[in-house]
């Protein structure tokens, strides 16, 4: 049976698709290639080009196929961009998702794995969050992800919601590297090129041990396993209609730690400058991970240093 992977040509999506193939699951990728790249996909995976913002594209995707479920990753994902252009985030991440959910309901497809985000929590007191912590997003990106989680329920679709923390790293497929985003690692790697501008450390006076932002960085090679666990869970039919799980390691690392780890991997220091904090950023956010372990038997296994090193090694112009 087939699982549709929206956004399957993106950074996380392409890693998930490759893992599905290894596990013998059939994947059909739906992607408009706005952020995704076809060369991230294995040659024998069907790619349907289309946008979730176009009802016709979405209906065409589901028509005439026997689909077991949908893994939904297609979305815009930059916090900073969402602050500048909230309407575009609403249109793609929320309105687009409605088209998809509507088409699923019409086609009788009733299972979804949803790629959600730690951004739904907003600015948590104490910096550590369990799935029971209040969801209170402080930027449009986080709000669209929380709206998405709620919409799935409204449409009566059974789901596993993966609230991913900061996914980094690469598998053994260099084309799948995370290249085009505003996230920290790509920004650091760009600063390592000869003659490049130093990377901006966005705030060094946060109430954290180093003064820089603290995040829970999780290796994409670990993250892909939980997508497969989520599929198994949905196929088993057990449990509640919506299972929400944090996808993180439980350990926090600061921007300083990231600069040090990249410096180690590259064997030379990272050029950086201190800049003001970014709108919509929080000082610290780290996952509690007990639920993923209990409910999906999933635990991150790879270290922060390994994750950073694999990302550096996959970076197109590293070394
Ligand atoms: C990490 C840290 C920045 C860039 C968001 C989403 C999350 C996930 C990843 C989607 C922060 C600092 C960054 C830079 C910096 N989802 N930073 N200089 O904002 O934590 O998470 O993206 O993709 O759900 O919320 O990720 O990588 O942008 O930032 O100092 O040039 O690095 O302030 O402390 P973020 P990020």
């Amino acid at each position: 049976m087939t699982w549709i992977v929206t956004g399957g040509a993106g950074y996380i999506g392409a890693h998930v698709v490759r893992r599905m193939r290894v596990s013998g699951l059939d994947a059909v990728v739906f992607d408009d290639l706005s952020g995704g790249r076809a060369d991230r996909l294995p040659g024998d995976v069907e790619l349907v080009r289309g946008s979730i913002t176009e009802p016709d594209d979405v209906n065409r995707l589901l028509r005439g196929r026997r689909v077991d479920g949908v893994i939904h990753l297609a979305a815009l994902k930059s916090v900073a961009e969402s602050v500048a252009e909230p309407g575009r985030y609403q249109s793609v991440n929320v309105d687009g998702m409605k088209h998809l959910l509507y088409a699923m309901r019409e086609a009788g497809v009733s299972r979804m794995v949803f790629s959600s985000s730690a951004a739904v929590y907003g600015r948590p007191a104490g910096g550590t969050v369990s799935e029971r912590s209040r969801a209170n997003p402080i930027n449009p990106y986080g709000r669209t992800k929380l709206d998405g989680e709620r919409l799935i329920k409204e449409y009566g679709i059974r789901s596993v919601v993966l609230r991913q923390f900061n996914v980094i790293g690469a598998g053994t497929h260099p084309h799948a590297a995370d290249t085009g985003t505003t996230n920290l690692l790509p920004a650091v790697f760009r600063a390592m090129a000869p003659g490049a501008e130093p990377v901006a450390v966005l705030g060094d006076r946060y109430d954290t041990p180093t003064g820089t932002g603290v995040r829970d960085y999780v290796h994409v090679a670990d993250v892909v396993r939980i997508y497969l666990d989520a599929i198994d869970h949905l196929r088993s039919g057990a449990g509640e209609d919506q299972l929400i799980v944090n996808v993180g390691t439980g350990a926090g690392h600061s921007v300083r730690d990231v600069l040090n780890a990249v410096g180690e991997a590259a064997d030379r220091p990272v050029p950086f400058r201190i800049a003001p904090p970014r709108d919509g950023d929080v000082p610290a956010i780290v996952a509690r991970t007990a639920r993923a372990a209990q409910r999906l038997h999933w635990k991150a296994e790879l270290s922060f240093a390994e994750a950073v090193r694999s990302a550096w090694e996959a970076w197109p112009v590293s070394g």
Side-chain angles (χ1 to χ4, degrees):
M1 284 286 264
T2 300
W3 282 73
I4 292 197
V5 186
T6 75
Y11 160 57
I12 298 175
H15 281 94
V16 170
V17 168
R18 286 181 179 273
R19 177 76 191 205
M20 288 171 73
R21 298 308 308 271
V22 171
S23 305
L25 281 168
D26 214 20
V28 171
V29 169
F30 180 69
D31 204 299
D32 65 0
L33 301 184
S34 58
R37 287 172 22 192
D39 66 1
R40 286 190 171 130
L41 296 170
D44 59 348
V45 167
E46 185 185 353
L47 167 64
V48 178
R49 274 193 76 164
S51 169
I52 52 165
T53 61
E54 296 293 335
D56 286 350
D57 289 358
V58 178
N59 292 329
R60 185 165 46 88
L61 169 72
L62 287 167
R63 207 177 299 131
R65 273 181 218 280
R66 286 190 56 211
V67 174
D68 224 13
V70 173
I71 302 177
H72 180 44
L73 297 114
L76 299 175
K77 63 158 191 173
S78 156
V79 170
E81 205 177 68
S82 80
V83 173
E85 300 175 75
R88 197 153 76 89
Y89 273 66
Q90 171 73 26
S91 153
V92 176
N93 293 9
V94 182
D95 300 340
M97 194 168 166
K98 282 184 193 164
H99 301 319
L100 176 64
L101 292 167
Y102 181 82
M104 284 174 68
R105 199 164 63 183
E106 291 294 292
V109 179
S110 60
R111 298 169 181 154
M112 177 180 271
V113 181
F114 179 48
S115 175
S116 188
S117 168
V120 301
Y121 292 112
R123 186 183 287 112
T128 303
V129 284
S130 85
E131 298 81 352
R132 274 188 247 282
S133 303
R134 197 156 81 92
N136 188 18
I138 59 157
N139 54 55
Y141 169 69
R143 280 194 284 277
T144 63
K145 286 291 173 182
L146 187 59
D147 286 350
E149 295 182 1
R150 292 175 177 160
L151 276 173
I152 300 170
K153 273 212 232 173
E154 275 171 39
Y155 278 78
I157 286 169
R158 281 174 55 78
S159 61
V160 176
V161 167
L162 301 176
R163 288 184 176 164
Q164 295 156 119
F165 284 64
N166 291 62
V167 183
I168 62 167
T172 50
H173 323 288
H175 288 312
D178 184 12
T179 48
T181 70
T182 55
N183 291 123
L184 177 59
L185 273 187
V188 170
F189 296 160
R190 275 193 283 271
M192 299 297 276
E197 292 288 309
V199 63
V201 172
L202 301 171
D204 70 342
R205 303 216 171 145
Y206 283 119
D207 184 15
T208 60
T210 65
T212 63
V214 169
R215 297 290 183 273
D216 186 333
Y217 294 93
V218 55
H219 198 310
V220 70
D222 276 328
V223 172
V224 293
R225 287 189 293 107
I226 202 168
Y227 279 83
L228 277 285
D229 297 335
I231 289 174
D232 283 347
H233 175 83
L234 288 171
R235 286 170 118 180
S236 78
E240 56 281 76
D241 283 346
Q242 183 165 74
L243 174 63
I244 297 179
V245 285
N246 284 347
V247 182
T249 66
H253 292 278
S254 70
V255 175
R256 288 251 177 219
D257 294 333
V258 172
L259 299 186
N260 289 338
V262 174
E264 288 275 311
D267 212 15
R268 59 197 157 92
V270 176
F272 70 91
R273 69 184 170 87
I274 303 298
R278 180 169 66 178
D279 274 355
D281 261 3
V282 300
I285 181 158
V286 175
R288 286 200 197 284
T289 58
R291 189 181 288 177
Q294 278 158 11
R295 300 300 307 280
L296 297 177
H297 313 294
W298 178 90
K299 191 175 171 306
E301 284 163 1
L302 300 165
S303 71
F304 172 69
E306 280 172 284
V308 170
R309 183 172 293 278
S310 77
W312 171 248
E313 283 167 1
W315 184 251
V317 289
S318 70

